[in-house]
Amino acid sequence: MLDLNASAQAAAPAELGQSIRGGSGPAFDRKARLRWSNSIFRVACIASAVFVCLVLLCILFLMFRTGVLTFQNVSFREFFFSADWDPENDRYGALIFIFGTVALTLLTLVISVPFSVVIAVFLAEVTPSWLRNILRPVLDLLVGIPSVVYGFLGLTVLIPLLRDLTGNELADGLLAAAIVLTIMVLPTISRISDDAISAVPKKYRDASYALGSNRFQTIVRVVLPAARSGILYAVILGMARAIGETMAVVMVIGNTAQMPSSLFTPTAVLTSNIVMQISSVEFDSTWNYALYLMGFLLLVISLLMIVAVRFLQKRGARES
Amino acid sequence: MSQPSKAAANSFGKRNGRAAALDRIFTGLVWGIGALVILFICGLLFLLLKNGLPKLTWDFLYGLPSEIEEGGGIGPALFNSFYLLFISLVISIPLGMAAGIYLAEFAPDNRLIGLIRICVEGLSSVPSIIFGLFGIALFVEMFQIGLTILGGAVSLAFLNLPVLTRVTEESIRSVPVELKNASFALGSTHLQTIRRVLIPVALSGIVTGICLTAGRAFGESAVIILTAGVTTSGEMWDFNLFSPGETLAVHLWYVQSEAIVPDAQEIAQKATSVLIFVVLLINLVFRVPLWFNSRKTKG
Amino acid sequence: MQALIQIEKLNLFYGAFHALKNVSLEIPQRAITAFIGPSGCGKSTLLRTLNRMNDMIQGTRIEGKIEIGGTDIYSGDVHVETLRKKVGMVFQQPNPFPKSIYDNVAYGPRLHGIRGKKQLDEIVENSLKAAALWDEVKDHLKRSALSLSGGQQQRLCIARALAVEPDILLMDEATSALDPISTLKIEELAQELKDKYTIVMVTHNMHQAARVSHQTVFFLNGEVVEYSDTEKLFSDPSDQRTEDYISGRFG
């Protein structure tokens, strides 16, 4: 009935033993070919992985080598602690931009984290499931909206609005940029926090409800603490995105190298300054080196954040 | 169910007034803020689409941009967007997937691999403007080819690379090990298992990742400004890799902040709506079939 | 009966853990051999060394010899893929691929270079018949394998294993995830298959071993305590520990 039976019946033990040897049988060519393609594929995969690493190392090396040339003409102190940025007159104090980046990031976090956590709780705990099934994909789509669109939104909608509200002549500045960035990072932070909250085991909730606590108490005292490291992870990712964001910020921050005296003073941050000035300078000039050094600074900050994320993930894995 | 005695009913009925009020306030607050913020963001985007989409004409989508007069189109910029996206994906998908497969399948669990994994994660956190600076140093300075489509596409590919690697690794890792065992037990080689079982099963995750990457790359502007410039060659269907390669996202910024055409505002509105529309389309077209597909194989 | 598999002084380590200790064993051709013993005694580990699935677990080290038909399967010139083709395996959890029923069975033959539509059709039909599943699925071969019930899925996995023409079939607690009726079907199937295939099954169910196998091997803490004809082992065990185990005093 089966031709496969025929071979099974015919196979005396010795024949079977012989057939599994590498160099035997008519299928040898095929085996060799398979073995070849297998190892070629493997080597290609290794090469690609190494390539990805090389890209990072090249970036690090190039940014560092170019950036460090700044210190031929500019003292370490001047670059980091002087707020006098006037490259035409050989003054390269980057404090304004460093301050701007730090202030903008903090301000963005202050606005976005509370909203994001509330939205995450809304998604994970409060909404009926049909609404959740609509909102989650919507937020995922929002993550994909280009940053330049958010910048345009800020420029055409938000700034006129702020101008009317405050009565200022100009509304470009830290607050406008922070609001735009908040809109940008909100979907990211809330979706990842949402996942973290949803991943809290049901048994914790059951235990809390069984002890007679209501929803508010359960969420605040049991669920959120249990999802703590996941939420922190989301916040750091959002923060990394805010620090590195360029175009949305460029369009609303005003791009003026001055220390901001209020939230509505045009100023500049590391990224906006790089993108506004890089195309107009010679490659072999101190000005350009200084811009690369700022880039290197950004790079170091974002890599440090990855280290923080790794640390958190390890801790999270230990806790669970 | 038997009728509970009156006293018992009372003691169940007694509620901690303050806690209950807090609970109600909290629920209301979460509903209010959650719904409002999401509605607000969606409303803003809807506004942008509404301002732009009805004014779109084929002439605008297809037409050449104008520096001084009204009525310029976005043809070359739109073409460059797709062209750059295509080249960058052609470069980054094979490399990213191969690296992801290596990490998921071949990599022994030792310190070196930990290093590679940190590199991939590190690269994915590098701000896009750094890739732009890298592109300048590489293509403008080292190879002296100036601001070109090629430089932009390669820089963009570097930006995509870590995301694709991670998505592939995670999707392949999430394939149940039982399926892998089944394939090996039937006498398949590692490559056959990867090609016939792991990748098909992980495909929906990988495609989703590619869509996210493509959407992000389509809307990316900082890298392109630095490496491909803010001008186009001024011709439609210019496949020359060494032409300047301004894309739609860059054009939006350029028109809004640098250009002197009188109808800049309107061009920007229309360009924005096209940008949003295409990004949403990329996501919907590729991901919707997968949703249906996953339902079918589950059923 | 002729011995097909010979195991001599086999030791297996997972890192520092000594999982199999000095195992020596002969497995006869075209018969059913059952491995029994409490959880973690090494019976599944030994099964997985027979088609070298343990190779994929990092830190596994093997000493000693396993010969199939006189060839040491851990020697350098053995082609692992061919070995696994000749030594089929059915797992504890039914694990069909998320493909159609047809593609599941045709997966193996396609791997080994069979492309012809007619030839594949024939193999699929014969394998499904041999696994006693043909009548239930012949009208919807294109349907997803995941739409089958657990017992049907497991028989599909058996059909899939048979489709590559193995000589030996390893069953790793193949019925433990199934309901009693499906279990019975698979046991009947094993009885039919033993005329053509050498079957080695791991089971935690002593009654199953007593019902279907010719030879039974009792494992404890990585050692083979005793192996003999099933009838003898269950009626007249020579080792006290075996007697304790089969009379239900532990495990």
Side-chain angles (χ1 to χ4, degrees):
Chain A
M1 147 189 164
L2 290 173
D3 65 15
L4 49 101
N5 300 340
S7 86
Q9 262 151 1
E15 258 176 71
L16 171 60
Q18 200 54 46
S19 73
I20 58 178
R21 285 182 195 275
S24 68
F28 176 62
D29 281 351
R30 193 180 147 71
K31 284 181 199 166
R33 218 174 55 229
L34 284 178
R35 201 171 275 195
W36 256 99
S37 56
N38 203 24
S39 38
I40 287 174
F41 179 72
R42 193 191 156 96
V43 169
C45 285
I46 295 176
S48 306
V50 170
F51 182 77
V52 175
C53 296
L54 274 184
V55 171
L56 181 69
L57 293 182
C58 281
I59 289 179
L60 265 173
F61 172 73
L62 244 144
M63 299 296 297
F64 176 75
R65 204 202 53 185
T66 316
V68 88
L69 292 174
T70 317
F71 295 126
Q72 287 175 333
N73 301 316
V74 183
S75 75
F76 190 79
R77 229 185 105 185
E78 185 190 347
F79 185 82
F80 284 101
F81 298 106
S82 153
D84 190 3
W85 176 261
D86 188 1
E88 273 98 354
N89 296 315
D90 283 331
R91 287 203 288 272
Y92 299 100
L95 185 65
I96 298 168
F97 312 118
I98 298 172
F99 172 80
T101 293
V102 172
L104 177 59
T105 308
L106 289 181
L107 195 59
T108 305
L109 286 186
V110 166
I111 308 175
S112 63
V113 169
F115 279 116
S116 303
V117 172
V118 168
I119 290 180
V121 168
F122 176 64
L123 281 176
E125 298 282 327
V126 181
T127 46
S129 62
W130 62 269
L131 188 60
R132 182 178 309 153
N133 289 341
I134 299 173
L135 288 181
R136 280 190 177 152
V138 167
L139 282 184
D140 286 342
L141 286 181
L142 285 183
V143 174
I145 299 290
S147 60
V148 66
V149 168
Y150 286 111
F152 179 70
L153 196 71
L155 192 63
T156 53
V157 180
L158 192 66
I159 288 187
L161 198 71
L162 281 177
R163 227 181 269 155
D164 290 346
L165 282 179
T166 59
N168 283 5
E169 193 89 345
L170 286 168
D172 304 40
L174 285 176
L175 186 66
I179 295 176
V180 167
L181 282 183
T182 297
I183 297 178
M184 262 189 72
V185 299
L186 201 96
T188 313
I189 303 184
S190 41
R191 274 297 279 124
I192 300 175
S193 309
D194 169 24
D195 288 342
I197 293 175
S198 302
V200 172
K202 190 166 172 296
K203 57 183 182 191
Y204 294 169
R205 272 170 228 170
D206 289 345
S208 171
Y209 283 122
L211 289 170
S213 39
N214 57 30
R215 181 148 74 181
F216 169 69
Q217 291 162 328
T218 305
I219 291 173
V220 172
R221 301 207 185 148
V222 177
V223 176
L224 287 183
R228 194 179 53 222
S229 72
I231 294 175
L232 203 56
Y233 169 67
V235 170
I236 292 182
L237 279 192
M239 206 164 137
R241 213 171 154 206
I243 287 180
E245 180 48 47
T246 311
M247 297 317 292
V249 176
V250 166
M251 293 173 88
V252 292
I253 197 138
N255 302 312
T256 316
Q258 58 179 351
M259 260 318 194
S261 55
S262 79
L263 292 177
F264 302 101
T265 320
T267 176
V269 295
L270 291 169
T271 51
S272 69
N273 192 57
I274 294 173
V275 82
M276 292 308 288
Q277 302 193 336
I278 193 82
S279 46
S280 51
V281 298
E282 288 281 309
F283 193 83
D284 294 314
S285 64
T286 311
W287 190 351
N288 185 60
Y289 297 151
L291 292 179
Y292 269 79
L293 187 61
M294 291 183 196
F296 183 68
L297 216 58
L298 277 174
L299 189 58
V300 170
I301 296 173
S302 55
L303 290 181
L304 282 180
M305 293 194 144
I306 280 301
V307 173
V309 164
R310 284 228 126 201
F311 177 74
L312 272 179
Q313 279 172 334
K314 254 188 206 145
R315 215 179 59 179
R318 244 204 335 262
E319 273 170 11
S320 60
Chain B
M1 221 166 122
S2 67
Q3 196 70 30
S5 76
K6 212 171 183 189
N10 270 349
S11 89
F12 284 135
K14 222 189 276 171
R15 297 182 67 177
N16 184 341
R18 204 172 136 264
L22 257 178
D23 189 36
R24 242 170 298 156
I25 292 173
F26 171 76
T27 307
L29 215 77
V30 167
W31 257 100
I33 294 179
L36 265 182
V37 171
I38 295 176
L39 270 181
F40 174 69
I41 299 180
C42 293
L44 285 177
L45 289 175
F46 180 73
L47 195 74
L48 289 181
L49 278 176
K50 205 195 97 204
N51 281 342
L53 275 185
K55 293 186 206 151
L56 286 184
T57 56
W58 285 113
D59 285 347
F60 176 73
L61 289 179
Y62 202 78
L64 300 177
S66 149
E67 277 295 328
I68 305 162
E69 285 166 43
E70 278 186 44
I74 54 166
L78 190 57
F79 167 75
N80 277 344
S81 285
F82 283 110
Y83 191 39
L84 261 162
L85 176 64
F86 176 74
I87 301 171
S88 75
L89 287 181
V90 163
I91 299 170
S92 56
I93 289 179
L95 280 172
M97 275 182 67
I101 289 171
Y102 175 72
L103 286 179
E105 279 299 305
F106 293 113
D109 216 0
N110 59 26
R111 213 160 259 180
L112 182 74
I113 299 311
L115 193 74
I116 292 185
R117 206 162 272 138
I118 290 177
C119 281
V120 173
E121 266 176 56
L123 199 62
S124 68
S125 80
V126 171
S128 61
I129 188 161
I130 305 294
F131 287 95
L133 288 175
F134 181 59
I136 291 186
L138 206 63
F139 292 100
V140 180
E141 260 319 290
M142 234 153 107
F143 300 138
Q144 299 279 348
I145 58 172
L147 300 173
T148 58
I149 288 181
L150 181 67
V154 173
S155 307
L156 203 54
F158 289 157
L159 180 70
N160 297 341
L161 208 50
V163 189
L164 290 171
T165 303
R166 292 188 63 181
V167 167
T168 310
E169 185 194 351
E170 275 165 28
S171 308
I172 288 192
R173 264 178 199 282
S174 68
V175 175
V177 69
E178 288 83 18
L179 295 185
K180 211 171 116 183
N181 282 340
S183 174
F184 276 116
L186 289 168
S188 69
T189 62
H190 210 151
L191 173 59
Q192 285 173 319
T193 303
I194 291 169
R195 221 185 55 170
R196 289 159 186 261
V197 176
L198 296 183
I199 290 183
V201 175
L203 196 64
S204 111
I206 296 175
V207 169
T208 307
I210 290 177
C211 282
L212 290 177
T213 317
R216 187 175 157 206
F218 189 84
E220 179 55 50
S221 38
V223 174
I224 311 291
I225 290 176
L226 297 194
T227 54
V230 293
T231 53
T232 63
S233 61
E235 291 165 40
M236 228 10 220
W237 311 115
D238 181 5
F239 285 97
N240 187 352
L241 285 175
F242 295 98
S243 303
E246 182 204 40
T247 62
L248 187 59
V250 176
H251 191 64
L252 167 60
W253 170 74
Y254 180 75
V255 162
Q256 188 60 46
S257 41
E258 311 264 302
I260 46 169
V261 283
D263 59 347
Q265 181 78 17
E266 198 185 317
I267 293 179
Q269 280 178 353
K270 289 193 273 190
T272 307
S273 63
V274 174
L275 204 55
I276 299 177
F277 185 74
V278 172
V279 170
L280 292 186
L281 204 66
I282 290 177
N283 279 287
L284 291 180
V285 164
F286 287 93
R287 286 164 79 178
V288 167
L290 285 175
W291 288 335
F292 282 109
N293 207 14
S294 70
R295 249 178 233 172
K296 214 171 73 188
T297 42
K298 262 177 210 145
Chain C
M1 261 184 275
Q2 232 173 337
L4 183 63
I5 306 175
Q6 277 169 319
I7 302 169
E8 269 173 51
K9 296 204 176 111
L10 183 77
N11 281 289
L12 184 141
F13 304 85
Y14 289 130
F17 177 62
H18 198 169
L20 290 175
K21 297 166 195 159
N22 239 357
V23 171
S24 293
L25 197 58
E26 284 189 355
I27 294 172
Q29 195 179 20
R30 269 173 233 133
I32 300 179
T33 301
F35 291 178
I36 60 168
S39 308
C41 64
K43 53 192 193 301
S44 283
T45 305
L46 180 62
L47 194 75
R48 293 168 65 93
T49 57
L50 297 180
N51 65 346
R52 292 184 57 174
M53 288 295 280
N54 276 333
D55 288 15
M56 283 182 297
I57 300 169
Q58 267 182 42
T60 311
R61 194 159 51 85
I62 279 187
E63 288 165 7
K65 218 167 160 189
I66 299 179
E67 286 185 351
I68 294 181
T71 299
D72 183 354
I73 61 170
Y74 281 88
S75 75
D77 68 340
V78 161
H79 191 253
V80 184
E81 281 81 30
T82 311
L83 169 73
R84 294 197 185 128
K85 179 173 178 287
K86 293 287 179 192
V87 185
M89 187 166 201
V90 180
F91 296 82
Q92 183 171 2
Q93 290 287 338
N95 55 357
F97 300 122
K99 303 168 182 255
S100 70
I101 295 170
Y102 183 95
D103 286 338
N104 261 283
V105 183
Y107 178 86
R110 280 182 179 143
L111 280 184
H112 301 294
I114 295 173
R115 290 275 177 276
K117 171 96 174 80
K118 234 183 118 196
Q119 207 179 348
L120 281 175
D121 285 349
E122 201 176 318
I123 293 175
V124 169
E125 183 176 342
N126 289 338
S127 309
L128 285 170
K129 275 180 181 158
L133 189 62
W134 175 250
D135 291 333
E136 290 159 63
V137 301
K138 66 181 174 207
D139 295 325
H140 33 253
L141 291 173
K142 294 285 167 214
R143 207 179 274 179
S144 165
L146 302 180
S147 64
L148 298 175
S149 73
Q152 287 175 321
Q153 287 190 7
Q154 194 63 299
R155 275 179 283 148
L156 178 67
C157 293
I158 295 176
R160 184 176 65 186
L162 296 182
V164 293
E165 303 177 19
D167 291 282
I168 300 168
L169 194 58
L170 310 176
M171 302 175 92
D172 188 359
E173 299 198 23
T175 60
S176 68
L178 303 180
D179 59 271
I181 295 173
S182 306
T183 301
L184 202 65
K185 274 197 177 149
I186 299 224
E187 285 178 12
E188 281 168 10
L189 180 58
Q191 288 292 355
E192 282 169 33
L193 293 174
K194 72 158 195 295
D195 298 335
K196 297 151 196 158
Y197 305 93
T198 304
I199 296 180
V200 185
M201 65 190 328
V202 163
T203 175
H204 59 208
N205 179 342
M206 277 177 288
H207 303 292
Q208 186 172 58
R211 274 197 302 269
V212 296
S213 69
H214 304 103
Q215 177 184 269
T216 300
V217 187
F218 174 55
F219 286 79
L220 195 61
N221 298 329
E223 285 174 84
V224 171
V225 174
E226 176 169 1
Y227 79 98
S228 64
D229 282 357
T230 301
E231 228 166 282
K232 178 178 176 300
L233 188 121
F234 280 98
S235 58
D236 178 26
S238 50
D239 194 294
Q240 183 60 38
R241 289 170 293 174
T242 316
E243 197 176 336
D244 288 349
Y245 183 71
I246 59 178
S247 59
R249 250 167 266 170
F250 72 95

